[in-house]
Amino acid sequence: MSKPEAVKEPSMDMQKAMIARNYEAITSKHETGRKVSNTFVPGNLNELLMCFDIVNNLPEINAIQAGMRKASGGYIMEAEKSGHSEDVCTYVKADIGQMSKGNIAPNGKPYPVPDVLMLSYTGCYTFMKWFELLREEYKCPTLMLHVPYEGDGHSTKNMRDYIVKQLKEVVIPGLEQVSGVKFDIDRLRQYLKNSAKAEDDLVWCLEQGKVKPSPIDAYFGGVYYIGPIFTAFRGTEDAVSYYEMLRKEVQGRIENHQGPMTPEGTYFNDQKYRLIVEGPPNWTNFREFWKMFYDEGAVVVASSYTKVGGLYDQGFRHDPDNPLESLADYCLGCYTNLNLPTRVDLLAKYVEEYEADGLLINSIKSCNSFSAGQLMIMKEVERRTGRPGAFIETDLVDPRYFSAANVKNRLESYFQMIEQKRRGGGSKTVAA
Amino acid sequence: MSGKNKSVADIMAVCQEMFEDLNFNYARKWKAAKEGRKVIGFLPVYSPIEMIHAAGCLPLGIFGGGDQMEVIHGDAYYQSYICRIPRSTIELGVTNRLDFVDGMIFPFVCDVIRNLSGIWKLMFPNVWSKFFDTPQNYDKSIGGTYYIQELQELKEGLETLTGRKISDADIQRSIGLYNENRRLIREVYAFRAKQPWLAPTSEVYVLMRAGLMMDVEEHNQMLKDYMAAAAKEDRPKRDNVRISIYGSFCEQPPLNLIKSIEMAGCYVVDDDYSLNNRFLMVDVPTTGNPLEALAITYLENSVETSCKYVPDGKVKGQFHVDAVKACGAEGVIYATPSFCDPALLDRPMVCNKLSEAGIPYIAFKYAENSGQMQPIREQAGTFADSIKLWS
Ligand code: SF4
Ligand code: SF4
């Protein structure tokens, strides 16, 4: 979803340029007169915001950017000094702490006060409080779209109607007011058409994890693949071109029997272990973390993190013929809005379909939405697939919680366990 | 339970026993007393227990394992950096203490309870369970329409479970009984706010907890008996400060923590402990469509707590300031379970509002099994002293 250094492939350069343009659009709002909305990644309404010419700024992505630039640690301490608890989501604290340090975007210019906080409340409780906190800071209007949780394993007509009604009666009039632009449903349809096209290509790319050797890394590489579609670009022509380009790159690697490219610029062909990974990555030590995998020959063939902004591989596409209903279904179906049994089903299915050696969970200390109950997920997936699971613990953007030695040890024992299993031994969990 | 001459000690003995009983013998006996009876568990913070009652079932509040239960199995499901209530609730489940419970309702609270609802489905596939999502949009035609339909689905779920239809009259009767329950609870709270030395919170707390585990009519009588008996007690009035406790709506503190705060020189005159039966602040209409009545009361007259969105930033936290003024508290203890996202994310906003209003506060964290009370007693004591000195 963001950029470490050592970008090598053309698609990565293209994405980098897109992100730079978006930061420029955000930070130049006073010159251009464009309106800016802050919103979240899962369940974002990018196509809808585009209908009002609103630029999309994502605090989670800003926190990730800060994490990768090694700035988040200081921001988090700053937020904790001002009364925020050490126990809560570190994205929130990175975002809030950044404000007291000038609120500077990656392009060196200050983030402007948003014109609206578009609170798409999907899959994570923290979102709601985060925007209540930002509202206090920015004193700008907040539009709340409440997306019910799929607690009983499916969405209902009532949930969908509720979301559509909020879109019609709260969100759209609110965005019209903020932007002064009248809503045009045909414009929305056009954007949704672009979304569906890009989604087709993304799914194709993600599914190539089934090929051996895998031409993609669906976790460390995956965070780049999902970048445009999960953020400010879904619905744009740029995103359509990006995914066409990505698809060609992946196709090229398949033809050459190549694995994905590592940050060191080498192709990772010698793949010994195929993993499914659950949970977000750590961002402060992203490259070091990734290296621990490819150094040992472990490639991630599918992950749940690449589904936080939509389960396109399970068939969902934005639908220009049913625009608002399709936005509702999109919000309902984001990964963390699914209940635990559904998450278990999905992960077990990935282990089988991608012929993985097992499930690795990266449990994030400050993210209850993903983490609460992950030990159960691991045990269930192990039980169903007969393949061993492992559990590591890191944090998103708080460098205090990344212990390289610890993670490395766990991974090494896990790979040994997989070896044992291959030789016909029993499976045993590597857990905390 | 009823009787004019019940003493506070008699009533407390019953409440204390229920509070400590992690085998839920009251509910087991209630169930065994009549063929076909069913018990439905619910977690904090708010579930519409009128619906459970109208289905002829006993609503049973599940508040984790407290400080008497060792968590062994629960730790295999939830990591150490997650609050304790889901782990001890699982412990209750896997140690068969809830084996008589026919259904479970997991209300909208936070990501932990949300995920717990799924774990329950995986672990106890034969127990009916429902994730109950309350709206965060408070417009009648939007959130109200959604909520009525959610209540309708809850009703249908209960009907399938019990094999019997729930009529509007059934729900209205239950609403009537719970209206009385809420009224009496408000009276107990008002009584305590007026004469806190007669109704210590260590008593009021177990009285309220018992109410979420027993037949509502019985609890109504108990509340009346308690007020009558407490008014007659000869208890000296001390030079304590009056404080409100907020942030403790879900995982409950150990009783010793409440006692420690009182022993440190504080009278607790308001709190958000075991909130469910105080969640709706006014009577729910007993005429018209009962689902609509429940929904509208929820939208218009429910407490402000961290599990709810506050649409207007200007009034965020004002609820707490008003509550402090209404009960005449001199300060606030914001006490939260460790790792509790809702309470901890809300804390800066609520506390800022208290500061603006010139209300002193302190904040600390606890766990349901916290054992070390000395630091809490010291903190609360220093806080009480500072209020006495400076206010
Ligand atoms: S708690 Fe998790 S899902 Fe929620 S904002 Fe933080 S990282 Fe994202
Ligand atoms: S104590 Fe807090 S975090 Fe834990 S389940 Fe309750 S509300 Fe959620």
Coordinates of all heavy atoms in Angstrom, one line a residue, chain A residues 181-243:
Chain A
V181 N -21.0 20.6 -5.5 CA -21.2 19.9 -6.8 C -22.4 19.0 -6.7 O -22.6 18.4 -5.7 CB -19.9 19.0 -7.1 CG1 -20.2 18.2 -8.4 CG2 -18.7 19.8 -7.2
K182 N -23.2 19.1 -7.8 CA -24.4 18.3 -7.7 C -24.1 16.8 -8.1 O -23.3 16.6 -9.0 CB -25.4 18.9 -8.7 CG -26.8 18.2 -8.7 CD -27.9 19.2 -8.5 CE -29.3 18.5 -8.4 NZ -29.2 17.5 -7.3
F183 N -24.8 15.9 -7.4 CA -24.5 14.5 -7.6 C -25.0 14.0 -9.0 O -26.2 14.3 -9.4 CB -25.1 13.6 -6.5 CG -25.0 12.2 -6.7 CD1 -23.7 11.6 -6.9 CD2 -26.1 11.3 -6.8 CE1 -23.6 10.2 -7.1 CE2 -25.9 9.9 -7.0 CZ -24.7 9.4 -7.1
D184 N -24.2 13.3 -9.7 CA -24.6 12.8 -11.0 C -24.3 11.3 -11.1 O -23.2 10.9 -11.1 CB -23.7 13.5 -12.1 CG -23.9 12.9 -13.5 OD1 -24.7 12.0 -13.6 OD2 -23.2 13.4 -14.4
I185 N -25.4 10.6 -11.1 CA -25.3 9.1 -10.9 C -24.5 8.5 -12.1 O -23.9 7.4 -12.0 CB -26.6 8.4 -10.6 CG1 -26.4 7.0 -10.0 CG2 -27.5 8.3 -11.9 CD1 -27.5 6.5 -9.1
D186 N -24.7 9.1 -13.3 CA -24.0 8.6 -14.5 C -22.5 8.7 -14.4 O -21.7 7.8 -14.8 CB -24.5 9.2 -15.7 CG -25.9 8.8 -16.0 OD1 -26.3 7.6 -15.7 OD2 -26.7 9.6 -16.5
R187 N -22.1 9.8 -13.7 CA -20.6 9.9 -13.5 C -20.2 8.8 -12.5 O -19.1 8.1 -12.8 CB -20.4 11.3 -12.8 CG -19.0 11.8 -12.9 CD -18.9 13.2 -12.4 NE -17.6 13.5 -12.1 CZ -17.2 14.6 -11.4 NH1 -18.1 15.5 -11.0 NH2 -15.9 14.8 -11.1
L188 N -21.0 8.5 -11.5 CA -20.6 7.4 -10.6 C -20.5 6.1 -11.4 O -19.6 5.3 -11.2 CB -21.7 7.3 -9.5 CG -21.5 6.2 -8.5 CD1 -20.1 6.3 -7.7 CD2 -22.6 6.1 -7.4
R189 N -21.5 5.8 -12.3 CA -21.5 4.6 -13.0 C -20.2 4.4 -13.8 O -19.7 3.3 -13.9 CB -22.7 4.6 -14.0 CG -24.0 4.4 -13.4 CD -25.1 4.3 -14.5 NE -26.4 4.8 -14.0 CZ -27.3 4.0 -13.3 NH1 -27.0 2.7 -13.0 NH2 -28.4 4.5 -12.9
Q190 N -19.8 5.5 -14.4 CA -18.5 5.5 -15.2 C -17.3 5.1 -14.4 O -16.5 4.2 -14.7 CB -18.3 6.8 -15.9 CG -17.1 6.8 -16.9 CD -17.1 5.7 -17.9 OE1 -18.2 5.4 -18.5 NE2 -16.0 5.0 -18.1
Y191 N -17.3 5.7 -13.2 CA -16.2 5.4 -12.3 C -16.2 3.9 -11.9 O -15.2 3.2 -11.8 CB -16.2 6.3 -11.1 CG -15.9 7.7 -11.4 CD1 -16.6 8.7 -10.7 CD2 -14.9 8.1 -12.3 CE1 -16.3 10.1 -10.9 CE2 -14.6 9.4 -12.6 CZ -15.3 10.4 -11.9 OH -15.1 11.8 -12.1
L192 N -17.5 3.4 -11.6 CA -17.6 2.1 -11.1 C -17.2 1.1 -12.2 O -16.7 0.0 -12.0 CB -19.0 1.8 -10.7 CG -19.5 2.6 -9.4 CD1 -20.9 2.3 -9.1 CD2 -18.6 2.2 -8.2
K193 N -17.4 1.5 -13.5 CA -17.0 0.6 -14.6 C -15.5 0.5 -14.6 O -15.0 -0.6 -14.8 CB -17.5 1.3 -15.9 CG -17.9 0.3 -17.0 CD -18.2 1.1 -18.2 CE -19.8 1.1 -18.5 NZ -20.2 1.9 -19.6
N194 N -14.8 1.6 -14.4 CA -13.4 1.6 -14.3 C -12.9 0.7 -13.1 O -12.0 -0.1 -13.3 CB -12.8 3.0 -14.1 CG -12.9 3.9 -15.3 OD1 -13.1 3.4 -16.4 ND2 -12.7 5.2 -15.1
S195 N -13.6 0.8 -12.0 CA -13.3 0.0 -10.9 C -13.3 -1.5 -11.2 O -12.4 -2.2 -10.9 CB -14.2 0.3 -9.7 OG -14.2 1.6 -9.3
A196 N -14.4 -1.9 -11.8 CA -14.6 -3.3 -12.1 C -13.5 -3.8 -13.0 O -13.0 -4.9 -12.9 CB -16.0 -3.5 -12.7
K197 N -13.1 -3.0 -14.0 CA -12.1 -3.4 -14.9 C -10.8 -3.6 -14.2 O -10.1 -4.6 -14.4 CB -12.0 -2.2 -16.0 CG -10.8 -2.3 -16.9 CD -11.3 -2.7 -18.3 CE -10.2 -3.1 -19.3 NZ -9.0 -3.8 -18.8
A198 N -10.4 -2.6 -13.3 CA -9.2 -2.7 -12.6 C -9.2 -3.9 -11.6 O -8.3 -4.7 -11.4 CB -8.9 -1.5 -11.8
E199 N -10.4 -4.2 -11.1 CA -10.6 -5.3 -10.1 C -10.4 -6.6 -10.8 O -9.7 -7.5 -10.3 CB -12.0 -5.2 -9.5 CG -12.1 -4.1 -8.5 CD -13.5 -3.6 -8.2 OE1 -14.5 -4.1 -8.8 OE2 -13.6 -2.5 -7.5
D200 N -10.8 -6.7 -12.1 CA -10.6 -8.0 -12.8 C -9.1 -8.3 -12.9 O -8.7 -9.4 -12.7 CB -11.2 -7.8 -14.3 CG -12.7 -8.0 -14.3 OD1 -13.2 -8.6 -13.4 OD2 -13.3 -7.6 -15.3
D201 N -8.4 -7.2 -13.3 CA -6.9 -7.4 -13.5 C -6.2 -7.7 -12.2 O -5.3 -8.5 -12.1 CB -6.3 -6.2 -14.2 CG -6.6 -6.2 -15.7 OD1 -6.9 -7.3 -16.2 OD2 -6.6 -5.1 -16.3
L202 N -6.6 -7.0 -11.1 CA -6.0 -7.3 -9.8 C -6.3 -8.8 -9.4 O -5.3 -9.4 -9.0 CB -6.7 -6.4 -8.7 CG -6.3 -6.8 -7.3 CD1 -4.8 -6.4 -6.9 CD2 -7.2 -6.2 -6.3
V203 N -7.5 -9.2 -9.6 CA -7.8 -10.6 -9.2 C -6.9 -11.6 -10.0 O -6.4 -12.5 -9.4 CB -9.3 -10.9 -9.4 CG1 -9.6 -12.4 -9.3 CG2 -10.1 -10.1 -8.4
W204 N -6.8 -11.3 -11.3 CA -6.0 -12.2 -12.1 C -4.6 -12.3 -11.5 O -4.0 -13.3 -11.3 CB -5.9 -11.7 -13.5 CG -5.2 -12.6 -14.4 CD1 -5.6 -13.7 -15.1 CD2 -3.7 -12.6 -14.7 NE1 -4.6 -14.3 -15.8 CE2 -3.4 -13.7 -15.5 CE3 -2.7 -11.7 -14.2 CZ2 -2.1 -13.9 -16.0 CZ3 -1.4 -12.0 -14.7 CH2 -1.1 -13.1 -15.5
C205 N -4.0 -11.1 -11.2 CA -2.7 -11.0 -10.6 C -2.6 -11.8 -9.3 O -1.7 -12.7 -9.1 CB -2.2 -9.6 -10.4 SG -2.0 -8.7 -11.9
L206 N -3.5 -11.6 -8.4 CA -3.5 -12.3 -7.1 C -3.6 -13.8 -7.3 O -2.9 -14.5 -6.5 CB -4.6 -11.7 -6.2 CG -4.4 -10.3 -5.7 CD1 -5.6 -9.9 -4.8 CD2 -3.1 -10.1 -4.9
E207 N -4.4 -14.2 -8.2 CA -4.6 -15.6 -8.4 C -3.4 -16.4 -9.0 O -3.3 -17.6 -8.9 CB -5.8 -15.9 -9.2 CG -7.1 -15.6 -8.3 CD -8.4 -15.9 -9.0 OE1 -8.4 -16.0 -10.2 OE2 -9.3 -16.1 -8.2
Q208 N -2.4 -15.6 -9.5 CA -1.2 -16.2 -10.0 C -0.3 -16.8 -8.9 O 0.6 -17.5 -9.2 CB -0.4 -15.3 -10.9 CG -1.3 -14.8 -12.1 CD -2.2 -15.8 -12.7 OE1 -1.7 -16.8 -13.2 NE2 -3.5 -15.5 -12.8
G209 N -0.7 -16.5 -7.7 CA 0.0 -17.1 -6.5 C -0.1 -18.7 -6.6 O 0.6 -19.4 -5.9
K210 N -1.1 -19.1 -7.4 CA -1.2 -20.6 -7.5 C -0.2 -21.2 -8.4 O 0.1 -22.4 -8.3 CB -2.6 -20.9 -8.1 CG -3.8 -20.5 -7.2 CD -5.1 -20.8 -7.8 CE -6.2 -20.2 -6.8 NZ -7.5 -20.1 -7.4
V211 N 0.5 -20.4 -9.2 CA 1.5 -20.9 -10.1 C 2.8 -21.3 -9.3 O 3.0 -20.6 -8.3 CB 1.8 -19.8 -11.2 CG1 3.0 -20.3 -12.1 CG2 0.6 -19.5 -12.0
K212 N 3.5 -22.2 -9.8 CA 4.8 -22.6 -9.1 C 6.0 -22.5 -10.1 O 5.9 -23.1 -11.2 CB 4.7 -24.0 -8.6 CG 3.8 -24.2 -7.5 CD 3.7 -25.6 -7.0 CE 2.6 -25.8 -6.0 NZ 2.4 -27.2 -5.6
P213 N 7.0 -21.7 -9.8 CA 7.1 -20.9 -8.6 C 6.2 -19.7 -8.7 O 5.8 -19.3 -9.9 CB 8.6 -20.4 -8.7 CG 8.9 -20.4 -10.2 CD 8.2 -21.6 -10.7
S214 N 5.8 -19.2 -7.6 CA 4.8 -18.1 -7.6 C 5.4 -16.8 -8.2 O 6.5 -16.4 -7.7 CB 4.3 -17.8 -6.2 OG 3.5 -16.6 -6.2
P215 N 4.8 -16.2 -9.2 CA 5.3 -15.0 -9.8 C 5.1 -13.8 -8.9 O 5.5 -12.7 -9.2 CB 4.6 -14.9 -11.1 CG 3.3 -15.5 -10.8 CD 3.5 -16.6 -9.9
I216 N 4.3 -13.9 -7.8 CA 4.1 -12.8 -6.9 C 4.4 -13.2 -5.5 O 4.4 -14.3 -5.1 CB 2.6 -12.4 -7.0 CG1 1.6 -13.5 -6.6 CG2 2.2 -11.9 -8.4 CD1 0.2 -13.1 -6.2
D217 N 4.6 -12.1 -4.7 CA 4.5 -12.4 -3.2 C 3.2 -11.6 -2.8 O 3.1 -10.4 -2.9 CB 5.7 -11.8 -2.5 CG 5.6 -12.1 -1.0 OD1 4.8 -11.4 -0.3 OD2 6.3 -13.0 -0.5
A218 N 2.3 -12.4 -2.3 CA 0.9 -11.9 -2.1 C 0.8 -11.1 -0.7 O -0.3 -10.8 -0.3 CB -0.1 -13.0 -2.2
Y219 N 1.9 -10.9 -0.1 CA 1.9 -10.1 1.2 C 2.8 -8.9 1.0 O 2.3 -7.8 0.9 CB 2.3 -11.0 2.3 CG 2.1 -10.5 3.7 CD1 0.9 -10.1 4.1 CD2 3.2 -10.5 4.6 CE1 0.7 -9.7 5.5 CE2 3.0 -10.1 5.9 CZ 1.8 -9.7 6.3 OH 1.6 -9.2 7.6
F220 N 4.1 -9.2 1.0 CA 5.0 -8.1 0.9 C 4.9 -7.4 -0.5 O 5.0 -6.2 -0.6 CB 6.5 -8.6 1.1 CG 6.6 -9.1 2.5 CD1 6.7 -10.5 2.7 CD2 6.7 -8.3 3.6 CE1 6.8 -11.0 4.0 CE2 6.8 -8.8 4.9 CZ 6.9 -10.2 5.1
G221 N 4.8 -8.2 -1.5 CA 4.6 -7.6 -2.8 C 3.1 -7.2 -2.9 O 2.8 -6.2 -3.6
G222 N 2.2 -7.9 -2.3 CA 0.8 -7.7 -2.3 C 0.4 -6.3 -1.9 O -0.5 -5.7 -2.4
V223 N 1.1 -5.8 -0.9 CA 0.7 -4.4 -0.4 C 0.9 -3.4 -1.5 O 0.3 -2.3 -1.5 CB 1.5 -4.0 0.9 CG1 1.2 -5.0 2.0 CG2 3.0 -3.8 0.6
Y224 N 1.8 -3.6 -2.5 CA 1.9 -2.7 -3.6 C 0.8 -2.9 -4.6 O 0.2 -2.0 -5.1 CB 3.3 -2.9 -4.3 CG 4.5 -2.6 -3.5 CD1 5.1 -3.6 -2.8 CD2 4.9 -1.3 -3.3 CE1 6.2 -3.3 -2.0 CE2 6.0 -1.0 -2.5 CZ 6.6 -2.0 -1.8 OH 7.7 -1.7 -1.0
Y225 N 0.5 -4.2 -4.8 CA -0.5 -4.5 -5.8 C -1.9 -3.9 -5.5 O -2.6 -3.5 -6.3 CB -0.7 -6.0 -6.0 CG 0.6 -6.8 -6.3 CD1 0.7 -8.1 -5.9 CD2 1.6 -6.2 -6.9 CE1 1.8 -8.9 -6.1 CE2 2.8 -6.9 -7.1 CZ 2.9 -8.2 -6.8 OH 4.1 -8.9 -7.0
I226 N -2.2 -3.9 -4.2 CA -3.5 -3.4 -3.8 C -3.5 -1.9 -3.6 O -4.6 -1.3 -3.5 CB -4.0 -4.0 -2.4 CG1 -3.0 -3.7 -1.3 CG2 -4.3 -5.5 -2.6 CD1 -3.4 -4.2 0.1
G227 N -2.3 -1.3 -3.6 CA -2.2 0.2 -3.4 C -3.3 1.0 -4.1 O -4.2 1.6 -3.5
P228 N -3.2 1.1 -5.4 CA -4.2 2.0 -6.1 C -5.7 1.6 -5.9 O -6.5 2.5 -5.7 CB -3.8 1.8 -7.6 CG -2.4 1.3 -7.6 CD -2.3 0.5 -6.3
I229 N -6.0 0.3 -5.8 CA -7.4 0.0 -5.7 C -8.0 0.2 -4.3 O -9.2 0.4 -4.2 CB -7.6 -1.5 -6.2 CG1 -9.0 -1.6 -6.9 CG2 -7.6 -2.5 -5.1 CD1 -8.9 -2.4 -8.2
F230 N -7.1 0.1 -3.3 CA -7.6 0.3 -2.0 C -7.6 1.8 -1.6 O -8.1 2.1 -0.5 CB -6.8 -0.5 -1.0 CG -7.1 -1.9 -0.9 CD1 -7.9 -2.5 -1.9 CD2 -6.6 -2.7 0.1 CE1 -8.1 -3.9 -1.8 CE2 -6.8 -4.1 0.2 CZ -7.6 -4.7 -0.8
T231 N -7.0 2.6 -2.4 CA -6.8 4.0 -1.9 C -7.5 5.0 -2.7 O -8.7 4.9 -3.1 CB -5.3 4.3 -1.7 OG1 -4.7 4.2 -3.0 CG2 -4.7 3.3 -0.7
A232 N -6.8 6.0 -3.2 CA -7.4 7.2 -3.8 C -7.6 7.0 -5.3 O -7.9 8.0 -6.0 CB -6.6 8.4 -3.5
F233 N -7.4 5.8 -5.8 CA -7.4 5.7 -7.3 C -8.5 4.7 -7.8 O -8.6 4.6 -9.1 CB -6.0 5.2 -7.7 CG -4.9 6.1 -7.2 CD1 -4.2 5.7 -6.0 CD2 -4.7 7.3 -7.7 CE1 -3.3 6.5 -5.5 CE2 -3.7 8.2 -7.1 CZ -3.0 7.7 -6.0
R234 N -9.1 4.0 -7.0 CA -10.2 3.1 -7.6 C -11.2 3.9 -8.3 O -11.7 4.9 -7.8 CB -10.8 2.3 -6.4 CG -11.5 1.0 -6.9 CD -12.2 0.2 -5.9 NE -13.2 1.1 -5.3 CZ -13.2 1.4 -4.0 NH1 -12.4 0.9 -3.1 NH2 -14.2 2.2 -3.5
G235 N -11.5 3.5 -9.5 CA -12.4 4.3 -10.3 C -11.7 5.2 -11.3 O -12.4 5.7 -12.3
T236 N -10.4 5.4 -11.2 CA -9.7 6.2 -12.2 C -9.2 5.5 -13.4 O -9.0 4.3 -13.3 CB -8.5 7.0 -11.5 OG1 -7.6 6.0 -11.1 CG2 -9.0 7.7 -10.3
E237 N -8.9 6.2 -14.4 CA -8.3 5.6 -15.6 C -6.9 5.2 -15.2 O -6.4 4.2 -15.7 CB -8.2 6.7 -16.8 CG -9.5 7.1 -17.3 CD -10.2 6.1 -18.2 OE1 -9.6 5.1 -18.6 OE2 -11.4 6.3 -18.4
D238 N -6.2 5.9 -14.4 CA -4.9 5.6 -13.9 C -4.8 4.2 -13.3 O -3.9 3.4 -13.6 CB -4.5 6.6 -12.8 CG -3.7 7.8 -13.4 OD1 -3.5 7.8 -14.6 OD2 -3.4 8.7 -12.6
A239 N -5.8 3.9 -12.5 CA -5.9 2.6 -11.8 C -6.0 1.5 -12.9 O -5.4 0.4 -12.8 CB -7.0 2.5 -10.8
V240 N -6.9 1.8 -13.9 CA -7.1 0.8 -14.9 C -5.7 0.5 -15.6 O -5.3 -0.7 -15.8 CB -8.1 1.3 -16.0 CG1 -8.2 0.3 -17.2 CG2 -9.5 1.4 -15.3
S241 N -5.0 1.6 -16.0 CA -3.7 1.4 -16.7 C -2.7 0.7 -15.8 O -1.9 -0.2 -16.2 CB -3.1 2.7 -17.1 OG -4.1 3.5 -17.6
Y242 N -2.7 1.1 -14.5 CA -1.8 0.4 -13.5 C -2.0 -1.1 -13.5 O -1.0 -1.8 -13.6 CB -2.0 1.0 -12.1 CG -1.2 0.3 -11.1 CD1 0.1 0.5 -10.8 CD2 -1.8 -0.8 -10.4 CE1 0.9 -0.2 -9.9 CE2 -1.1 -1.5 -9.4 CZ 0.2 -1.3 -9.2 OH 0.9 -2.0 -8.3
Y243 N -3.2 -1.5 -13.4 CA -3.4 -3.0 -13.3 C -3.2 -3.7 -14.6 O -2.8 -4.9 -14.6 CB -4.8 -3.3 -12.7 CG -4.8 -3.0 -11.2 CD1 -5.3 -1.8 -10.7 CD2 -4.1 -3.8 -10.3 CE1 -5.2 -1.5 -9.4 CE2 -4.0 -3.5 -9.0 CZ -4.6 -2.3 -8.5 OH -4.4 -2.0 -7.2

